[in-house]
mmCIF file of all heavy atoms in Angstrom:
data_model
loop_
_atom_site.group_PDB
_atom_site.id
_atom_site.type_symbol
_atom_site.label_atom_id
_atom_site.label_comp_id
_atom_site.label_asym_id
_atom_site.label_seq_id
_atom_site.Cartn_x
_atom_site.Cartn_y
_atom_site.Cartn_z
ATOM 1 N N PHE A 1211 -50.268 82.384 230.894
ATOM 2 C CA PHE A 1211 -49.692 83.751 230.803
ATOM 3 C C PHE A 1211 -50.635 84.733 231.519
ATOM 4 O O PHE A 1211 -50.186 85.604 232.303
ATOM 5 C CB PHE A 1211 -49.455 84.153 229.333
ATOM 6 C CG PHE A 1211 -49.035 85.538 229.208
ATOM 7 C CD1 PHE A 1211 -47.692 85.857 229.388
ATOM 8 C CD2 PHE A 1211 -49.853 86.529 228.732
ATOM 9 C CE1 PHE A 1211 -47.246 87.226 229.309
ATOM 10 C CE2 PHE A 1211 -49.423 87.856 228.616
ATOM 11 C CZ PHE A 1211 -48.118 88.187 228.892
ATOM 12 N N LEU A 1212 -51.946 84.729 231.093
ATOM 13 C CA LEU A 1212 -52.938 85.647 231.681
ATOM 14 C C LEU A 1212 -52.990 85.455 233.249
ATOM 15 O O LEU A 1212 -53.174 86.415 233.935
ATOM 16 C CB LEU A 1212 -54.217 85.563 230.994
ATOM 17 C CG LEU A 1212 -54.300 86.035 229.550
ATOM 18 C CD1 LEU A 1212 -55.583 85.691 228.858
ATOM 19 C CD2 LEU A 1212 -53.948 87.443 229.406
ATOM 20 N N ASP A 1213 -52.927 84.225 233.689
ATOM 21 C CA ASP A 1213 -52.983 83.895 235.027
ATOM 22 C C ASP A 1213 -51.772 84.494 235.772
ATOM 23 O O ASP A 1213 -51.898 85.044 236.866
ATOM 24 C CB ASP A 1213 -53.111 82.415 235.296
ATOM 25 C CG ASP A 1213 -53.285 82.054 236.779
ATOM 26 O OD1 ASP A 1213 -53.971 82.729 237.481
ATOM 27 O OD2 ASP A 1213 -52.652 81.081 237.250
ATOM 28 N N ASP A 1214 -50.626 84.357 235.190
ATOM 29 C CA ASP A 1214 -49.371 84.878 235.751
ATOM 30 C C ASP A 1214 -49.416 86.455 235.780
ATOM 31 O O ASP A 1214 -49.021 87.054 236.797
ATOM 32 C CB ASP A 1214 -48.123 84.522 234.929
ATOM 33 C CG ASP A 1214 -47.722 83.100 235.213
ATOM 34 O OD1 ASP A 1214 -48.175 82.472 236.165
ATOM 35 O OD2 ASP A 1214 -46.847 82.587 234.349
ATOM 36 N N LYS A 1215 -50.009 87.004 234.760
ATOM 37 C CA LYS A 1215 -49.940 88.491 234.598
ATOM 38 C C LYS A 1215 -51.033 89.156 235.442
ATOM 39 O O LYS A 1215 -50.781 90.046 236.237
ATOM 40 C CB LYS A 1215 -50.207 88.896 233.146
ATOM 41 C CG LYS A 1215 -50.048 90.369 232.872
ATOM 42 C CD LYS A 1215 -50.167 90.612 231.376
ATOM 43 C CE LYS A 1215 -49.864 92.031 231.057
ATOM 44 N NZ LYS A 1215 -50.962 92.877 231.100
ATOM 45 N N ASN A 1216 -52.237 88.627 235.403
ATOM 46 C CA ASN A 1216 -53.429 89.251 236.102
ATOM 47 C C ASN A 1216 -54.049 88.478 237.201
ATOM 48 O O ASN A 1216 -54.866 89.002 237.945
ATOM 49 C CB ASN A 1216 -54.498 89.593 235.057
ATOM 50 C CG ASN A 1216 -53.991 90.446 233.924
ATOM 51 O OD1 ASN A 1216 -53.167 91.332 234.100
ATOM 52 N ND2 ASN A 1216 -54.475 90.192 232.755
ATOM 53 N N GLY A 1217 -53.733 87.205 237.238
ATOM 54 C CA GLY A 1217 -54.495 86.355 238.136
ATOM 55 C C GLY A 1217 -55.775 85.960 237.427
ATOM 56 O O GLY A 1217 -56.326 86.702 236.660
ATOM 57 N N MET A 1218 -56.233 84.721 237.698
ATOM 58 C CA MET A 1218 -57.424 84.294 237.022
ATOM 59 C C MET A 1218 -58.220 83.417 238.016
ATOM 60 O O MET A 1218 -57.569 82.647 238.737
ATOM 61 C CB MET A 1218 -57.067 83.480 235.776
ATOM 62 C CG MET A 1218 -58.246 83.108 234.910
ATOM 63 S SD MET A 1218 -57.756 82.192 233.405
ATOM 64 C CE MET A 1218 -57.077 83.470 232.400
ATOM 65 N N LYS A 1219 -59.516 83.566 238.067
ATOM 66 C CA LYS A 1219 -60.274 82.734 238.976
ATOM 67 C C LYS A 1219 -60.185 81.259 238.583
ATOM 68 O O LYS A 1219 -60.072 80.969 237.383
ATOM 69 C CB LYS A 1219 -61.747 83.187 238.898
ATOM 70 C CG LYS A 1219 -61.902 84.569 239.487
ATOM 71 C CD LYS A 1219 -63.398 84.873 239.597
ATOM 72 C CE LYS A 1219 -63.485 86.336 240.109
ATOM 73 N NZ LYS A 1219 -64.283 86.510 241.264
ATOM 74 N N GLY A 1220 -60.166 80.380 239.553
ATOM 75 C CA GLY A 1220 -59.951 78.992 239.359
ATOM 76 C C GLY A 1220 -60.962 78.289 238.430
ATOM 77 O O GLY A 1220 -60.591 77.527 237.662
ATOM 78 N N LYS A 1221 -62.280 78.732 238.542
ATOM 79 C CA LYS A 1221 -63.254 78.115 237.698
ATOM 80 C C LYS A 1221 -63.088 78.436 236.261
ATOM 81 O O LYS A 1221 -63.224 77.590 235.375
ATOM 82 C CB LYS A 1221 -64.628 78.585 238.205
ATOM 83 C CG LYS A 1221 -65.107 77.868 239.490
ATOM 84 C CD LYS A 1221 -66.491 78.381 239.891
ATOM 85 C CE LYS A 1221 -66.849 77.880 241.226
ATOM 86 N NZ LYS A 1221 -68.136 78.355 241.655
ATOM 87 N N ARG A 1222 -62.755 79.718 235.966
ATOM 88 C CA ARG A 1222 -62.553 80.082 234.548
ATOM 89 C C ARG A 1222 -61.307 79.398 234.027
ATOM 90 O O ARG A 1222 -61.319 78.941 232.833
ATOM 91 C CB ARG A 1222 -62.319 81.645 234.517
ATOM 92 C CG ARG A 1222 -61.995 82.101 233.123
ATOM 93 C CD ARG A 1222 -61.965 83.574 232.966
ATOM 94 N NE ARG A 1222 -63.341 84.015 232.946
ATOM 95 C CZ ARG A 1222 -63.779 85.176 233.291
ATOM 96 N NH1 ARG A 1222 -62.907 86.114 233.759
ATOM 97 N NH2 ARG A 1222 -65.035 85.526 233.289
ATOM 98 N N LYS A 1223 -60.267 79.331 234.778
ATOM 99 C CA LYS A 1223 -59.008 78.617 234.353
ATOM 100 C C LYS A 1223 -59.303 77.167 234.095
ATOM 101 O O LYS A 1223 -58.923 76.603 233.047
ATOM 102 C CB LYS A 1223 -57.927 78.827 235.347
ATOM 103 C CG LYS A 1223 -56.595 78.453 234.898
ATOM 104 C CD LYS A 1223 -55.439 78.963 235.813
ATOM 105 C CE LYS A 1223 -55.652 78.761 237.261
ATOM 106 N NZ LYS A 1223 -54.432 78.928 238.053
ATOM 107 N N LEU A 1224 -60.034 76.515 234.973
ATOM 108 C CA LEU A 1224 -60.364 75.111 234.824
ATOM 109 C C LEU A 1224 -61.217 74.848 233.591
ATOM 110 O O LEU A 1224 -60.967 73.901 232.829
ATOM 111 C CB LEU A 1224 -61.098 74.583 236.035
ATOM 112 C CG LEU A 1224 -61.442 73.050 236.025
ATOM 113 C CD1 LEU A 1224 -60.196 72.239 235.865
ATOM 114 C CD2 LEU A 1224 -62.213 72.713 237.286
ATOM 115 N N LEU A 1225 -62.237 75.738 233.357
ATOM 116 C CA LEU A 1225 -63.052 75.646 232.200
ATOM 117 C C LEU A 1225 -62.224 75.745 230.847
ATOM 118 O O LEU A 1225 -62.353 74.930 229.958
ATOM 119 C CB LEU A 1225 -64.106 76.683 232.185
ATOM 120 C CG LEU A 1225 -65.044 76.643 230.977
ATOM 121 C CD1 LEU A 1225 -65.893 75.408 230.916
ATOM 122 C CD2 LEU A 1225 -66.013 77.873 231.030
ATOM 123 N N LEU A 1226 -61.304 76.761 230.844
ATOM 124 C CA LEU A 1226 -60.459 76.887 229.621
ATOM 125 C C LEU A 1226 -59.572 75.637 229.474
ATOM 126 O O LEU A 1226 -59.324 75.140 228.349
ATOM 127 C CB LEU A 1226 -59.570 78.160 229.691
ATOM 128 C CG LEU A 1226 -60.322 79.457 229.474
ATOM 129 C CD1 LEU A 1226 -59.451 80.657 229.849
ATOM 130 C CD2 LEU A 1226 -60.663 79.547 227.995
ATOM 131 N N GLN A 1227 -59.031 75.087 230.578
ATOM 132 C CA GLN A 1227 -58.169 73.979 230.495
ATOM 133 C C GLN A 1227 -58.952 72.737 229.999
ATOM 134 O O GLN A 1227 -58.478 71.958 229.145
ATOM 135 C CB GLN A 1227 -57.579 73.566 231.850
ATOM 136 C CG GLN A 1227 -56.529 74.667 232.290
ATOM 137 C CD GLN A 1227 -56.202 74.431 233.722
ATOM 138 O OE1 GLN A 1227 -56.783 73.736 234.539
ATOM 139 N NE2 GLN A 1227 -55.097 75.163 234.169
ATOM 140 N N LEU A 1228 -60.192 72.570 230.462
ATOM 141 C CA LEU A 1228 -61.049 71.476 230.035
ATOM 142 C C LEU A 1228 -61.392 71.527 228.523
ATOM 143 O O LEU A 1228 -61.351 70.543 227.849
ATOM 144 C CB LEU A 1228 -62.279 71.312 230.913
ATOM 145 C CG LEU A 1228 -62.047 70.752 232.281
ATOM 146 C CD1 LEU A 1228 -63.298 70.929 233.139
ATOM 147 C CD2 LEU A 1228 -61.694 69.311 232.263
ATOM 148 N N LEU A 1229 -61.771 72.741 228.104
ATOM 149 C CA LEU A 1229 -62.136 72.927 226.695
ATOM 150 C C LEU A 1229 -60.957 72.612 225.789
ATOM 151 O O LEU A 1229 -61.083 71.984 224.748
ATOM 152 C CB LEU A 1229 -62.665 74.321 226.489
ATOM 153 C CG LEU A 1229 -64.101 74.631 227.068
ATOM 154 C CD1 LEU A 1229 -64.403 76.054 226.927
ATOM 155 C CD2 LEU A 1229 -65.147 73.789 226.402
ATOM 156 N N THR A 1230 -59.816 73.209 226.157
ATOM 157 C CA THR A 1230 -58.661 73.063 225.237
ATOM 158 C C THR A 1230 -58.084 71.650 225.247
ATOM 159 O O THR A 1230 -57.693 71.094 224.194
ATOM 160 C CB THR A 1230 -57.573 74.099 225.529
ATOM 161 O OG1 THR A 1230 -57.213 74.037 226.922
ATOM 162 C CG2 THR A 1230 -57.992 75.490 225.185
ATOM 163 N N THR A 1231 -58.019 71.024 226.406
ATOM 164 C CA THR A 1231 -57.580 69.644 226.417
ATOM 165 C C THR A 1231 -58.517 68.694 225.751
ATOM 166 O O THR A 1231 -58.180 67.667 225.197
ATOM 167 C CB THR A 1231 -57.244 69.155 227.846
ATOM 168 O OG1 THR A 1231 -58.420 69.335 228.728
ATOM 169 C CG2 THR A 1231 -56.069 69.916 228.442
ATOM 170 N N SER A 1232 -59.851 69.053 225.708
ATOM 171 C CA SER A 1232 -60.847 68.268 225.012
ATOM 172 C C SER A 1232 -60.487 68.216 223.490
ATOM 173 O O SER A 1232 -60.648 67.195 222.895
ATOM 174 C CB SER A 1232 -62.230 68.813 225.165
ATOM 175 O OG SER A 1232 -62.678 68.705 226.558
ATOM 176 N N VAL A 1233 -60.052 69.282 222.969
ATOM 177 C CA VAL A 1233 -59.595 69.317 221.568
ATOM 178 C C VAL A 1233 -58.446 68.353 221.364
ATOM 179 O O VAL A 1233 -58.491 67.564 220.447
ATOM 180 C CB VAL A 1233 -59.188 70.751 221.060
ATOM 181 C CG1 VAL A 1233 -58.599 70.724 219.704
ATOM 182 C CG2 VAL A 1233 -60.377 71.696 221.129
ATOM 183 N N ILE A 1234 -57.443 68.423 222.241
ATOM 184 C CA ILE A 1234 -56.321 67.595 222.102
ATOM 185 C C ILE A 1234 -56.637 66.140 222.253
ATOM 186 O O ILE A 1234 -56.262 65.287 221.452
ATOM 187 C CB ILE A 1234 -55.169 68.006 223.140
ATOM 188 C CG1 ILE A 1234 -54.736 69.446 222.875
ATOM 189 C CG2 ILE A 1234 -54.041 66.976 223.202
ATOM 190 C CD1 ILE A 1234 -53.832 70.053 223.986
ATOM 191 N N VAL A 1235 -57.455 65.804 223.303
ATOM 192 C CA VAL A 1235 -57.785 64.378 223.484
ATOM 193 C C VAL A 1235 -58.778 63.926 222.414
ATOM 194 O O VAL A 1235 -58.719 62.735 222.002
ATOM 195 C CB VAL A 1235 -58.452 64.201 224.870
ATOM 196 C CG1 VAL A 1235 -58.932 62.762 225.095
ATOM 197 C CG2 VAL A 1235 -57.408 64.543 226.000
ATOM 198 N N GLY A 1236 -59.563 64.851 221.885
ATOM 199 C CA GLY A 1236 -60.494 64.524 220.855
ATOM 200 C C GLY A 1236 -59.755 63.955 219.597
ATOM 201 O O GLY A 1236 -60.346 63.115 218.864
ATOM 202 N N TYR A 1237 -58.591 64.448 219.317
ATOM 203 C CA TYR A 1237 -57.895 63.905 218.202
ATOM 204 C C TYR A 1237 -57.131 62.646 218.472
ATOM 205 O O TYR A 1237 -56.601 62.102 217.531
ATOM 206 C CB TYR A 1237 -56.825 64.989 217.675
ATOM 207 C CG TYR A 1237 -57.552 65.940 216.718
ATOM 208 C CD1 TYR A 1237 -57.994 67.196 217.151
ATOM 209 C CD2 TYR A 1237 -57.799 65.545 215.398
ATOM 210 C CE1 TYR A 1237 -58.638 68.018 216.313
ATOM 211 C CE2 TYR A 1237 -58.426 66.410 214.576
ATOM 212 C CZ TYR A 1237 -58.874 67.603 214.982
ATOM 213 O OH TYR A 1237 -59.470 68.419 214.171
ATOM 214 N N ALA A 1238 -57.260 62.134 219.680
ATOM 215 C CA ALA A 1238 -56.724 60.884 220.076
ATOM 216 C C ALA A 1238 -57.888 59.791 220.079
ATOM 217 O O ALA A 1238 -57.719 58.805 220.734
ATOM 218 C CB ALA A 1238 -55.986 60.957 221.372
ATOM 219 N N ARG A 1239 -58.968 60.118 219.446
ATOM 220 C CA ARG A 1239 -60.134 59.276 219.522
ATOM 221 C C ARG A 1239 -59.954 57.878 219.055
ATOM 222 O O ARG A 1239 -60.782 56.982 219.354
ATOM 223 C CB ARG A 1239 -61.343 59.967 218.842
ATOM 224 C CG ARG A 1239 -61.191 60.088 217.384
ATOM 225 C CD ARG A 1239 -62.381 60.751 216.779
ATOM 226 N NE ARG A 1239 -62.111 61.079 215.376
ATOM 227 C CZ ARG A 1239 -61.762 62.289 215.018
ATOM 228 N NH1 ARG A 1239 -61.570 63.292 215.889
ATOM 229 N NH2 ARG A 1239 -61.557 62.603 213.719
ATOM 230 N N ASN A 1240 -58.902 57.569 218.336
ATOM 231 C CA ASN A 1240 -58.650 56.188 217.883
ATOM 232 C C ASN A 1240 -58.014 55.318 218.986
ATOM 233 O O ASN A 1240 -57.773 54.198 218.791
ATOM 234 C CB ASN A 1240 -57.788 56.221 216.673
ATOM 235 C CG ASN A 1240 -58.587 56.777 215.443
ATOM 236 O OD1 ASN A 1240 -59.791 56.802 215.403
ATOM 237 N ND2 ASN A 1240 -57.834 57.355 214.476
ATOM 238 N N TYR A 1241 -57.615 56.019 220.040
ATOM 239 C CA TYR A 1241 -56.942 55.309 221.113
ATOM 240 C C TYR A 1241 -57.936 54.891 222.194
ATOM 241 O O TYR A 1241 -58.775 55.694 222.569
ATOM 242 C CB TYR A 1241 -55.826 56.144 221.794
ATOM 243 C CG TYR A 1241 -54.771 56.507 220.725
ATOM 244 C CD1 TYR A 1241 -54.742 57.681 220.151
ATOM 245 C CD2 TYR A 1241 -53.785 55.600 220.398
ATOM 246 C CE1 TYR A 1241 -53.762 58.091 219.218
ATOM 247 C CE2 TYR A 1241 -52.809 55.823 219.475
ATOM 248 C CZ TYR A 1241 -52.806 57.155 218.857
ATOM 249 O OH TYR A 1241 -51.830 57.419 217.964
ATOM 250 N N HIS A 1242 -57.826 53.702 222.670
ATOM 251 C CA HIS A 1242 -58.768 53.254 223.730
ATOM 252 C C HIS A 1242 -58.049 52.406 224.788
ATOM 253 O O HIS A 1242 -58.656 51.841 225.644
ATOM 254 C CB HIS A 1242 -59.889 52.383 223.139
ATOM 255 C CG HIS A 1242 -60.741 53.114 222.116
ATOM 256 N ND1 HIS A 1242 -61.670 54.090 222.520
ATOM 257 C CD2 HIS A 1242 -60.805 53.166 220.827
ATOM 258 C CE1 HIS A 1242 -62.272 54.667 221.538
ATOM 259 N NE2 HIS A 1242 -61.759 54.104 220.459
ATOM 260 N N SER A 1243 -56.734 52.386 224.641
ATOM 261 C CA SER A 1243 -55.942 51.593 225.536
ATOM 262 C C SER A 1243 -54.671 52.292 225.930
ATOM 263 O O SER A 1243 -54.166 53.140 225.202
ATOM 264 C CB SER A 1243 -55.655 50.194 225.081
ATOM 265 O OG SER A 1243 -54.892 50.248 223.851
ATOM 266 N N VAL A 1244 -54.011 51.839 227.047
ATOM 267 C CA VAL A 1244 -52.712 52.411 227.386
ATOM 268 C C VAL A 1244 -51.843 51.151 227.716
ATOM 269 O O VAL A 1244 -52.378 50.077 228.108
ATOM 270 C CB VAL A 1244 -52.770 53.321 228.629
ATOM 271 C CG1 VAL A 1244 -53.477 54.586 228.310
ATOM 272 C CG2 VAL A 1244 -53.443 52.666 229.797
ATOM 273 N N GLU A 1245 -50.571 51.339 227.547
ATOM 274 C CA GLU A 1245 -49.647 50.238 227.863
ATOM 275 C C GLU A 1245 -48.778 50.679 229.039
ATOM 276 O O GLU A 1245 -48.120 51.771 228.954
ATOM 277 C CB GLU A 1245 -48.777 49.903 226.658
ATOM 278 C CG GLU A 1245 -47.955 48.715 226.893
ATOM 279 C CD GLU A 1245 -47.216 48.209 225.647
ATOM 280 O OE1 GLU A 1245 -47.824 48.300 224.590
ATOM 281 O OE2 GLU A 1245 -46.044 47.813 225.777
ATOM 282 N N ILE A 1246 -48.786 49.918 230.086
ATOM 283 C CA ILE A 1246 -47.986 50.242 231.261
ATOM 284 C C ILE A 1246 -47.151 49.032 231.606
ATOM 285 O O ILE A 1246 -47.626 47.932 231.810
ATOM 286 C CB ILE A 1246 -48.872 50.599 232.471
ATOM 287 C CG1 ILE A 1246 -49.796 51.795 232.079
ATOM 288 C CG2 ILE A 1246 -48.081 50.853 233.745
ATOM 289 C CD1 ILE A 1246 -50.807 52.135 233.137
ATOM 290 N N PHE A 1247 -45.838 49.211 231.537
ATOM 291 C CA PHE A 1247 -44.880 48.143 231.821
ATOM 292 C C PHE A 1247 -45.170 46.891 231.074
ATOM 293 O O PHE A 1247 -45.098 45.710 231.556
ATOM 294 C CB PHE A 1247 -44.861 47.763 233.362
ATOM 295 C CG PHE A 1247 -44.544 48.944 234.219
ATOM 296 C CD1 PHE A 1247 -45.424 49.436 235.120
ATOM 297 C CD2 PHE A 1247 -43.274 49.576 234.118
ATOM 298 C CE1 PHE A 1247 -45.110 50.556 235.892
ATOM 299 C CE2 PHE A 1247 -43.000 50.672 234.876
ATOM 300 C CZ PHE A 1247 -43.906 51.191 235.835
ATOM 301 N N GLY A 1248 -45.482 47.032 229.766
ATOM 302 C CA GLY A 1248 -45.724 45.948 228.903
ATOM 303 C C GLY A 1248 -47.036 45.285 228.910
ATOM 304 O O GLY A 1248 -47.378 44.380 228.224
ATOM 305 N N HIS A 1249 -47.967 45.819 229.743
ATOM 306 C CA HIS A 1249 -49.326 45.293 229.867
ATOM 307 C C HIS A 1249 -50.276 46.324 229.247
ATOM 308 O O HIS A 1249 -50.231 47.516 229.588
ATOM 309 C CB HIS A 1249 -49.699 45.100 231.374
ATOM 310 C CG HIS A 1249 -48.800 44.074 232.032
ATOM 311 N ND1 HIS A 1249 -48.976 42.754 231.857
ATOM 312 C CD2 HIS A 1249 -47.857 44.247 232.957
ATOM 313 C CE1 HIS A 1249 -48.038 42.124 232.580
ATOM 314 N NE2 HIS A 1249 -47.348 43.022 233.250
ATOM 315 N N THR A 1250 -51.140 45.807 228.389
ATOM 316 C CA THR A 1250 -52.106 46.734 227.804
ATOM 317 C C THR A 1250 -53.350 46.723 228.563
ATOM 318 O O THR A 1250 -53.883 45.673 228.893
ATOM 319 C CB THR A 1250 -52.386 46.210 226.309
ATOM 320 O OG1 THR A 1250 -51.176 46.259 225.600
ATOM 321 C CG2 THR A 1250 -53.362 47.159 225.631
ATOM 322 N N ILE A 1251 -53.874 47.921 228.842
ATOM 323 C CA ILE A 1251 -55.146 48.079 229.569
ATOM 324 C C ILE A 1251 -56.120 48.756 228.673
ATOM 325 O O ILE A 1251 -55.886 49.887 228.228
ATOM 326 C CB ILE A 1251 -54.859 48.971 230.872
ATOM 327 C CG1 ILE A 1251 -53.852 48.338 231.768
ATOM 328 C CG2 ILE A 1251 -56.236 49.162 231.585
ATOM 329 C CD1 ILE A 1251 -53.399 49.243 232.876
ATOM 330 N N ASP A 1252 -57.179 48.054 228.390
ATOM 331 C CA ASP A 1252 -58.229 48.574 227.437
ATOM 332 C C ASP A 1252 -59.093 49.497 228.309
ATOM 333 O O ASP A 1252 -59.746 49.054 229.307
ATOM 334 C CB ASP A 1252 -59.040 47.459 226.880
ATOM 335 C CG ASP A 1252 -60.032 48.023 225.913
ATOM 336 O OD1 ASP A 1252 -59.875 49.081 225.350
ATOM 337 O OD2 ASP A 1252 -61.086 47.261 225.572
ATOM 338 N N LEU A 1253 -59.203 50.772 227.956
ATOM 339 C CA LEU A 1253 -60.002 51.750 228.731
ATOM 340 C C LEU A 1253 -61.381 51.968 228.080
ATOM 341 O O LEU A 1253 -62.308 52.513 228.706
ATOM 342 C CB LEU A 1253 -59.319 53.094 228.773
ATOM 343 C CG LEU A 1253 -57.935 53.052 229.491
ATOM 344 C CD1 LEU A 1253 -57.259 54.385 229.399
ATOM 345 C CD2 LEU A 1253 -58.129 52.626 230.985
ATOM 346 N N GLY A 1254 -61.523 51.535 226.842
ATOM 347 C CA GLY A 1254 -62.842 51.696 226.152
ATOM 348 C C GLY A 1254 -63.235 53.178 226.145
ATOM 349 O O GLY A 1254 -62.548 54.053 225.828
ATOM 350 N N HIS A 1255 -64.536 53.381 226.612
ATOM 351 C CA HIS A 1255 -65.101 54.739 226.607
ATOM 352 C C HIS A 1255 -64.542 55.552 227.703
ATOM 353 O O HIS A 1255 -64.782 56.814 227.800
ATOM 354 C CB HIS A 1255 -66.638 54.648 226.626
ATOM 355 C CG HIS A 1255 -67.263 54.006 225.467
ATOM 356 N ND1 HIS A 1255 -67.186 54.555 224.209
ATOM 357 C CD2 HIS A 1255 -67.926 52.847 225.306
ATOM 358 C CE1 HIS A 1255 -67.752 53.808 223.300
ATOM 359 N NE2 HIS A 1255 -68.257 52.731 223.985
ATOM 360 N N LEU A 1256 -63.830 54.989 228.645
ATOM 361 C CA LEU A 1256 -63.229 55.766 229.793
ATOM 362 C C LEU A 1256 -61.968 56.470 229.303
ATOM 363 O O LEU A 1256 -61.474 57.332 230.053
ATOM 364 C CB LEU A 1256 -62.898 54.893 230.929
ATOM 365 C CG LEU A 1256 -64.167 54.250 231.692
ATOM 366 C CD1 LEU A 1256 -63.674 53.337 232.782
ATOM 367 C CD2 LEU A 1256 -64.933 55.433 232.283
ATOM 368 N N PHE A 1257 -61.490 56.223 228.112
ATOM 369 C CA PHE A 1257 -60.280 56.856 227.666
ATOM 370 C C PHE A 1257 -60.341 58.347 227.721
ATOM 371 O O PHE A 1257 -59.547 59.065 228.220
ATOM 372 C CB PHE A 1257 -59.853 56.401 226.266
ATOM 373 C CG PHE A 1257 -58.672 57.158 225.709
ATOM 374 C CD1 PHE A 1257 -57.378 56.764 226.120
ATOM 375 C CD2 PHE A 1257 -58.849 58.244 224.892
ATOM 376 C CE1 PHE A 1257 -56.299 57.430 225.667
ATOM 377 C CE2 PHE A 1257 -57.752 58.932 224.457
ATOM 378 C CZ PHE A 1257 -56.440 58.515 224.800
ATOM 379 N N PHE A 1258 -61.463 58.895 227.124
ATOM 380 C CA PHE A 1258 -61.669 60.423 226.985
ATOM 381 C C PHE A 1258 -61.609 61.049 228.355
ATOM 382 O O PHE A 1258 -60.795 61.951 228.590
ATOM 383 C CB PHE A 1258 -62.851 60.709 226.165
ATOM 384 C CG PHE A 1258 -62.918 62.161 225.815
ATOM 385 C CD1 PHE A 1258 -62.275 62.656 224.695
ATOM 386 C CD2 PHE A 1258 -63.688 63.057 226.623
ATOM 387 C CE1 PHE A 1258 -62.379 64.041 224.367
ATOM 388 C CE2 PHE A 1258 -63.733 64.342 226.312
ATOM 389 C CZ PHE A 1258 -63.133 64.852 225.179
#
């Protein structure tokens, strides 16, 4: 919204995006794998 209204520098926007998505992904900490077309891929520590 603030970017639409006033414009926002890319670095600031990226930092806010990284911080907030870290909270979301942080609550998925029990997940370490993804399933694609029936195949499970273990990502381990690369998940985050």
